[in-house]
Amino acid sequence: MHWADLIVEELVRCGVEMFVMAPGSRSTPLVAAVAAQPRARAVMHYDERGTAFFALGYGRATRQPAAWITTSGTALANGYPAIVEAATDGVPMLLLTADRPPELRATGANQTIDQPGLFGAYVRWAFDLPASTPAIDPSVILTTVDQAVHRARRTPQGPVHLNCMFREPLAPEPEPAPEGAAGPLRWRTSAAPYTRYDAAPRRPDAGAVVHLAERLRAARRGLVVAGRLATVEEGRAALQLAERLGWPLLPDVGSQLRLGHGAAESVIPHYDLVLGSEAFADAHAPEAVVQVGARPTSKRLGQWLARHRPDPYVLVHDDPRRIDPHHHVTDRIEAGVAAFCAVLAEAVATPGDASWRAAWREADQRATAALTGALGDAEAISEPWVARAVARAIPSGHGLVLASSMPVRDVDMFAPADGAAVPVAANRGASGIDGLVATAAGFCEGRGAPATLLTGDLALLHDLNSLALLRERPVTVVAINNDGGGIFHFLPIARHEALFEPYFGTPHGLGFAHAAEMFGLPYARPATPAAFTAAYEAARQRDGASLIEVRTERAANAALHRRLLATAAAAVDRAG
């Protein structure tokens, strides 16, 4: 218990105040230490997978690690999907896993697995903390915790694993502290961490940026591509750079620029639809590209850039890993996005060709008008319509969480740009559909503000028990139920009808009314656009969570997507 108290106290001193836990015996010392710590915030949930994704969502919202506490055994493995996503997309997490002592390892002891190294390369750092003993100086615990928090926060951010061995008895029985167990005197008389780390973000080399600016000024036709960005500040910096360059900015839905920035001259919200026009795409190949942030959602954009291979192609991210699936990056800048954009904007003397940006702007306006004409007065609910309706109606200050597969693509492609500029989160590092409800709960908790989760039926079924996390959090779940895997209708396998439906479409025949009732959530199933608008408005007015289910049909949805793309492309083509 004294060691567990030291761990939790030092985490709190380092600024880690959120502890997400599931019930278990071996983790009792850590849970008891959290319960006794007045500055700790504790979230209990019965499913370790849900708690791990909750911690992931919290880290997305705050860019600070939450501590995920588990008991021993398969509890750890349940967190693996969230840990993979955190590692892949650079989200800080602290994994505090309780373990058996060394004398019980590899003996067949109950609930004992090989926990050290379990997460492999998906953790930034790992340490197997020995079982407590008075023979070890308590400062070992403090410096280990300080290193763990530092490694989770430093670039590239990600999960860190502290495996904590505990011997029985585990219950917090009163007992005198061994001599020196309370920690060094310098630490006991302070409120600061034992070891302080300076983790200032890396700034770009000014000379290299000036040289890059000269190369970019030689390009008359350039683009700024804003991929996934961690903060609103990074998005604003990217927009300021595009304005200074005079280049069009193509904003991914996770760039924090896709929603609410349609009035900015440089922003091309419906670029994905614009590129659906082959004539426009061929005539407007860029000479240079500056991409900030991680890989964009749009497959069409990636393929188009790969086909034309602009040079220079500059990619800026503070993560040192390669972000280049098409292998066309010529200049890789490892630096903070906001700092790089500010330095480059200062180095660029004059903006580029105004007619180039104007052509993109006109094409975007034509695509927007075509989309509005096709969906604006729709009499039937469709998946593109719901994406537009949510993006337009979500209030300022709320957060938007998007499931992988169709929801993130639909908002990226179809959402209007005249709604609120809300922060957007999506688990696009590994692009799994697991843990979305828990991620939304953690994102809501971290921001301290309501959120909307737009998800599909399979993703909701995959994380149904995390609806329990919403009973105390204002999250509106909009679940599009097309009875299976709608995204597979866009793939070549859809042409193989006998194979497709049972193995890829996977219809389940389930609805969510009884699930909402079981978890005590208000429920609506609107059948018309007007009914959906009213249901979403009512959900936003509530203090707590709600579940709105929208029924659609998979094959019809795929056909509608193709028609909308063709309609937008034809409108762009008419511009000449």
Side-chain angles (χ1 to χ4, degrees):
M1 276 308 306
H2 295 300
W3 274 32
D5 287 338
L6 289 175
I7 291 170
V8 173
E9 170 67 24
E10 189 69 346
L11 284 171
V12 169
R13 291 191 186 196
C14 289
V16 178
E17 298 181 346
M18 173 57 66
F19 296 82
V20 194
M21 306 174 287
S25 176
R26 189 60 52 169
S27 53
T28 296
L30 290 170
V31 173
V34 171
Q37 171 56 253
R39 289 171 291 170
R41 298 164 57 194
V43 172
M44 290 297 300
H45 180 54
Y46 45 78
D47 175 18
E48 284 87 358
R49 187 178 71 177
T51 55
F53 274 104
F54 185 99
L56 173 76
Y58 182 89
R60 284 198 181 282
T62 63
R63 308 312 301 174
Q64 295 295 326
W68 178 64
I69 295 178
T70 76
T71 191
S72 61
T74 58
L76 282 71
N78 282 299
Y80 217 143
I83 292 160
V84 169
E85 175 65 29
T88 308
D89 214 23
V91 180
M93 287 179 69
L94 282 172
L95 321 175
L96 301 182
T97 60
D99 198 358
R100 273 18 187 196
E103 62 269 18
L104 293 180
R105 290 180 176 177
T107 65
N110 183 53
Q111 203 172 307
T112 303
I113 66 172
D114 192 8
Q115 295 184 187
L118 180 66
F119 303 120
Y122 289 107
V123 291
R124 302 291 187 254
W125 186 66
F127 190 79
D128 194 24
L129 204 60
S132 57
T133 169
I136 296 179
D137 189 327
S139 61
V140 171
I141 308 302
L142 305 179
T143 62
T144 301
V145 170
D146 295 336
Q147 170 71 182
V149 176
H150 171 65
R151 295 291 283 271
R153 285 176 175 159
R154 75 183 292 272
T155 303
Q157 293 187 325
V160 166
H161 182 200
L162 289 185
N163 192 57
C164 308
M165 290 185 275
F166 293 115
R167 291 189 174 94
E168 296 182 358
L170 300 170
E173 302 295 342
E175 60 181 36
E179 184 178 352
L185 178 62
R186 173 177 71 83
W187 181 79
R188 295 201 309 270
T189 56
S190 168
Y194 187 81
T195 304
R196 299 175 181 86
Y197 283 89
D198 178 11
R202 179 177 175 180
R203 296 186 61 82
D205 178 80
V209 172
V210 169
H211 176 69
L212 178 61
E214 294 175 355
R215 295 170 61 201
L216 296 177
R217 279 196 297 269
R220 298 180 65 252
R221 296 151 57 105
L223 293 174
V224 175
V225 174
R228 294 194 312 281
L229 296 172
T231 66
V232 172
E233 290 71 25
E234 289 183 339
R236 290 174 183 158
L239 177 56
Q240 291 170 359
L241 173 62
E243 296 283 353
R244 185 63 180 267
L245 287 166
W247 291 0
L249 184 149
L250 312 188
D252 179 73
V253 68
S255 68
Q256 318 306 328
L257 292 170
R258 174 63 181 83
L259 305 181
H261 289 85
E265 283 295 318
S266 294
V267 175
I268 312 298
H270 290 110
Y271 69 89
D272 188 86
L273 294 176
V274 169
L275 292 175
S277 165
E278 293 184 8
F280 182 91
D282 289 341
H284 292 80
E287 299 169 357
V289 169
V290 175
Q291 177 184 328
V292 294
R295 173 180 51 85
T297 300
S298 172
K299 183 177 182 180
R300 194 170 2 259
L301 171 64
Q303 292 175 336
W304 176 66
L305 292 173
R307 186 165 68 249
H308 293 286
R309 305 192 75 82
D311 186 356
Y313 192 112
V314 182
L315 193 145
V316 185
H317 201 293
D318 59 5
D319 191 319
R321 292 172 296 175
R322 182 169 55 170
I323 307 172
D324 188 18
H326 295 286
H327 307 283
H328 54 196
V329 171
T330 65
D331 295 77
R332 180 65 165 86
I333 311 296
E334 184 185 337
V337 168
F340 169 84
C341 289
V343 174
L344 181 58
E346 186 67 26
V348 176
T350 56
D353 184 359
S355 63
W356 166 250
R357 185 173 69 178
W360 278 88
R361 188 73 175 168
E362 181 184 359
D364 182 77
Q365 290 169 349
R366 287 179 175 272
T368 301
L371 193 61
T372 301
L375 292 174
D377 297 320
E379 297 181 358
I381 287 183
S382 66
E383 297 182 27
W385 185 91
V386 170
R388 287 175 61 80
V390 169
R392 177 166 282 141
I394 191 169
S396 177
H398 284 222
L400 179 60
V401 181
L402 301 173
S404 292
S405 295
M406 293 310 299
V408 68
R409 289 175 170 86
D410 282 348
V411 175
D412 189 56
M413 189 182 302
F414 299 118
D418 57 359
V422 299
V424 177
N427 289 343
R428 294 293 292 170
S431 298
I433 66 167
D434 37 4
L436 265 301
V437 176
T439 299
F443 191 72
C444 171
E445 181 78 22
R447 294 190 66 249
T452 293
L453 167 63
L454 182 59
T455 183
D457 50 315
L458 295 185
L460 181 53
L461 287 170
H462 210 283
D463 199 27
L464 203 62
N465 58 8
S466 289
L467 288 174
L469 288 166
L470 304 189
R471 287 182 288 190
E472 299 177 356
R473 294 174 180 86
V475 176
T476 300
V477 179
V478 178
I480 297 176
N481 187 351
N482 55 30
D483 194 26
I487 195 169
F488 295 112
H489 284 268
F490 295 84
L491 302 178
I493 191 65
R495 295 193 293 267
H496 301 265
E497 296 182 8
L499 178 66
F500 178 78
E501 193 63 9
Y503 293 100
F504 294 89
T506 57
H508 49 75
L510 300 172
F512 297 104
H514 294 298
E517 181 181 6
M518 182 171 71
F519 289 101
L521 304 180
Y523 171 83
R525 184 182 160 184
T528 66
F532 177 87
T533 300
Y536 187 62
E537 174 66 22
R540 291 185 306 151
Q541 299 300 323
R542 295 190 185 97
D543 291 333
S546 300
L547 198 161
I548 301 173
E549 180 178 359
V550 178
R551 292 293 184 101
T552 64
E553 200 277 323
R554 285 184 273 117
N557 175 61
L560 175 60
H561 277 71
R562 296 185 180 103
R563 289 199 303 273
L564 292 174
L565 178 60
T567 299
V572 173
D573 287 342
R574 286 194 292 272

